[in-house]
Amino acid sequence: MTRKPVPTKPPVERAFLVGVEIRNQPSLLVLEDSMAELALLSDTAGLKVVGETSQRLDSPNTETYIGTGKVEEVKALVEETLADVVIFDSELSPRHQRELELRFGNTVRVIDRTALILDIFAQHASTREGALQVELAQHEYRLPRLTRAWTHLARQAGGASGRSGSAGGVGLRGPGETQLEIDRREIRKRISKLKDELEKVRAHRERYRAQRKRSQIPTISLVGYTNAGKSTLLNRLARANVFVANQLFATLDPTTRRVELPGGHGALFTDTVGFIQKLPTTLVAAFRATLEEISQADLLLHIVDITHPNAMAQWQSVNQTLIEIEANHIPVITVLNKIDRLPDPEFARQVASEFPNSVAVSALNGLGIPDLLREIENELFEKYIPVKVRLSYQQGQLISLFHEQGQVQRIEHKRGGVSIEGQLPGRLLAAFQPFFSSDIPPSDPEQE
């Protein structure tokens, strides 16, 4: 009797990690903690970490990023540990990648933190929108790095490309270069197509947000460092069933659920992609449609894993990203999560004093959730913030909204529009933000 062959799983790739600290270059995480995070990222990507090393430099080596002696050391360690891939914690230039692969040998791949995060995103993109966004980010990352495959393309092309090249009358152009130009052109065409498709997604989201605004239901975005517990919190608040996993970037696609607040008001809560230090700029650009869910929200819940040793650094990293996506004008409640893991929950209340406008909770068992809901209601419907706006007469709907929902203290009719000074409830700040008067910015509610 002949047995059918049993399919075997592909062997797990072995990864060797390299960290570099550039002196006088600010970083939220110390080198050791950043390397620990890189190991977690590698694990999330399905790699087996077999070793690591690090180096402190005044400035990166122009050819190989790390020093020449360190290159030889890493090469020896890679051979000793049988590593398949070397992962750098810093973003490498195309030249650095090309030179390092030449030094380590053709059998060893060299990638950086950005490429690793892109790979994780590709594995976790479960919707068409997520897949489009990740593919766009990958192509934009790869395009300037195609040169690293120049000799490989030349060998692959062989005589066929050489004959077509000579037929075209290009005497000095090698076969690899010809193939390289073809590859670049195809990638640029694909990038253009992806951007067009994502622009349609963005327009659809914009129409959906406009519809929500007309319904006057406030929107709340959950933001935070990856694995801080955003999805668990949304499940707790909305009694939903959003996918939760104890790994980095478990959630990529935004999920929105309606939640009833204590005073009888309804609100829409949206779970968003987790942030991380050194978040690739290509990802921020590609996920623009998704991140606009954050920048258009009426309130942000900034979830912080209070048990993490780098909780403050993670909080600062997320705040930096909020500035990058122009969402730092939106009122924020800091949610100190996972207090159930603390040996003394009272410690959370002491730590809360270090974070502005914070509430300590356990999304897992519900501890502190009633306090959080009351604070959300207060921010959206009871707390008024001083503002001064300039509105054209074409913005008649906003002028009426200020009169109906806000407190007008002074109004001045001018040619082409009005200046209004007064107070607005927190949930309306995002709608009026483009029209804030530059001479009197809105007051920080924490200073009130």
Side-chain angles (χ1 to χ4, degrees):
M1 180 176 176
T2 306
R3 291 186 179 181
K4 292 182 179 180
V6 179
T8 57
K9 291 183 179 180
V12 176
E13 282 196 298
R14 300 163 67 85
F16 190 90
L17 312 183
V18 180
V20 179
E21 182 180 286
I22 306 299
R23 296 184 181 93
N24 300 321
Q25 191 175 89
S27 177
L28 289 172
L29 295 181
V30 298
L31 180 60
E32 291 75 15
D33 291 336
S34 189
M35 289 295 288
E37 189 172 89
L38 185 66
L40 278 175
L41 287 167
S42 302
D43 181 66
T44 302
L47 301 170
K48 180 182 180 181
V49 176
V50 293
E52 66 173 63
T53 188
S54 60
Q55 185 176 38
R56 287 174 170 84
L57 296 169
D58 291 326
S59 61
N61 183 290
T62 54
E63 289 188 354
T64 54
Y65 198 80
I66 52 177
T68 52
K70 197 69 174 178
V71 171
E72 293 304 315
E73 178 189 328
V74 172
K75 182 179 180 181
L77 289 168
V78 165
E79 291 173 354
E80 180 184 324
T81 57
L82 303 177
D84 305 295
V85 56
V86 178
I87 306 175
F88 278 72
D89 193 36
S90 307
E91 185 165 337
L92 300 174
S93 71
R95 181 183 183 185
H96 289 143
Q97 278 187 289
R98 185 169 62 250
E99 289 295 330
L100 287 166
E101 287 193 339
L102 286 173
R103 306 288 178 94
F104 295 153
N106 291 332
T107 58
V108 178
R109 290 186 299 118
V110 176
I111 65 172
D112 57 17
R113 185 186 181 97
T114 297
L116 182 62
I117 293 174
L118 288 173
D119 181 66
I120 295 169
F121 271 51
Q123 292 180 40
H124 289 187
S126 58
T127 66
R128 173 165 169 74
E129 179 188 353
L132 287 172
Q133 292 173 130
V134 172
E135 187 183 350
L136 174 60
Q138 286 180 322
H139 282 315
E140 291 190 325
Y141 174 79
R142 288 169 180 160
L143 184 59
R145 289 166 170 79
L146 279 181
T147 51
R148 64 191 276 252
W150 188 92
T151 53
H152 170 66
L153 288 169
R155 287 197 306 271
Q156 241 186 4
S161 288
R163 286 192 297 271
S164 63
S166 58
V170 184
L172 297 177
R173 184 171 297 169
E177 187 180 358
T178 304
Q179 184 62 46
L180 202 57
E181 289 175 350
I182 294 170
D183 291 343
R184 283 175 174 162
R185 186 167 59 251
E186 289 301 315
I187 287 181
R188 287 193 182 101
K189 282 170 60 178
R190 182 61 182 161
I191 286 174
S192 179
K193 190 174 189 309
L194 288 167
K195 285 182 175 179
D196 287 344
E197 292 188 51
L198 284 170
E199 194 58 38
K200 293 175 186 175
V201 172
R202 182 171 174 266
H204 174 75
R205 282 193 181 279
E206 186 58 44
R207 289 193 296 271
Y208 181 58
R209 278 195 294 266
Q211 184 180 346
R212 289 191 316 212
K213 292 291 183 186
R214 284 194 295 272
S215 69
Q216 304 248 332
I217 300 176
T219 57
I220 301 165
S221 283
L222 280 63
V223 301
Y225 212 77
T226 182
N227 210 26
K230 299 184 302 301
S231 299
T232 304
L233 180 61
L234 182 61
N235 285 341
R236 172 65 60 177
L237 293 172
R239 298 178 178 86
N241 192 27
V242 179
F243 176 71
V244 175
N246 185 26
Q247 59 180 211
L248 307 183
F249 301 118
T251 304
L252 287 189
D253 302 295
T255 304
T256 301
R257 296 288 185 270
R258 183 185 173 99
V259 176
E260 295 300 319
L261 300 176
H265 299 102
L268 295 175
F269 287 65
T270 299
D271 184 17
T272 58
V273 62
F275 297 159
I276 198 168
Q277 69 138 358
K278 306 177 186 175
L279 191 67
T281 52
T282 49
L283 272 180
V284 174
F287 275 70
R288 183 168 63 119
T290 301
L291 294 174
E292 280 180 354
E293 288 292 316
I294 299 172
S295 61
Q296 297 293 324
D298 300 306
L299 176 68
L300 301 181
L301 297 187
H302 182 165
I303 322 301
V304 178
D305 177 359
I306 194 61
T307 66
H308 199 284
N310 295 311
M312 180 59 76
Q314 292 183 349
W315 177 76
Q316 292 172 337
S317 178
V318 172
N319 286 340
Q320 285 184 0
T321 305
L322 292 176
I323 292 171
E324 288 176 25
I325 64 174
E326 299 180 352
N328 54 314
H329 64 279
I330 303 171
V332 179
I333 297 174
T334 302
V335 183
L336 306 179
N337 191 27
K338 305 187 184 181
I339 60 172
D340 55 294
R341 296 186 181 181
L342 297 174
D344 180 11
E346 199 57 39
F347 173 73
R349 291 180 173 82
Q350 299 171 14
V351 175
S353 61
E354 301 178 29
F355 296 87
N357 200 27
S358 59
V359 179
V361 306
S362 167
L364 193 63
N365 64 24
L367 189 64
I369 295 298
D371 294 336
L372 174 60
L373 289 171
R374 281 192 293 270
E375 185 58 30
I376 291 170
E377 180 128 43
N378 177 53
E379 284 286 344
L380 291 175
F381 297 98
E382 298 175 23
K383 185 178 286 187
Y384 282 77
I385 299 157
V387 296
K388 182 176 180 181
V389 296
R390 288 198 179 99
L391 299 166
S392 70
Y393 290 119
Q394 282 72 33
Q395 267 101 36
Q397 188 176 2
L398 286 178
I399 296 171
S400 299
L401 187 61
F402 204 127
H403 282 280
E404 293 167 8
Q405 305 281 336
Q407 299 170 355
V408 177
Q409 295 166 341
R410 182 173 174 271
I411 185 168
E412 185 179 353
H413 290 269
K414 299 181 177 180
R415 190 173 182 179
V418 297
S419 289
I420 306 178
E421 197 169 341
Q423 296 189 356
L424 286 171
R427 71 182 187 281
L428 297 182
L429 279 190
F432 285 87
Q433 190 270 338
F435 310 103
F436 286 156
S437 179
S438 57
D439 54 338
I440 305 180
S443 301
D444 182 351
E446 292 304 311
Q447 303 299 321
E448 296 300 309

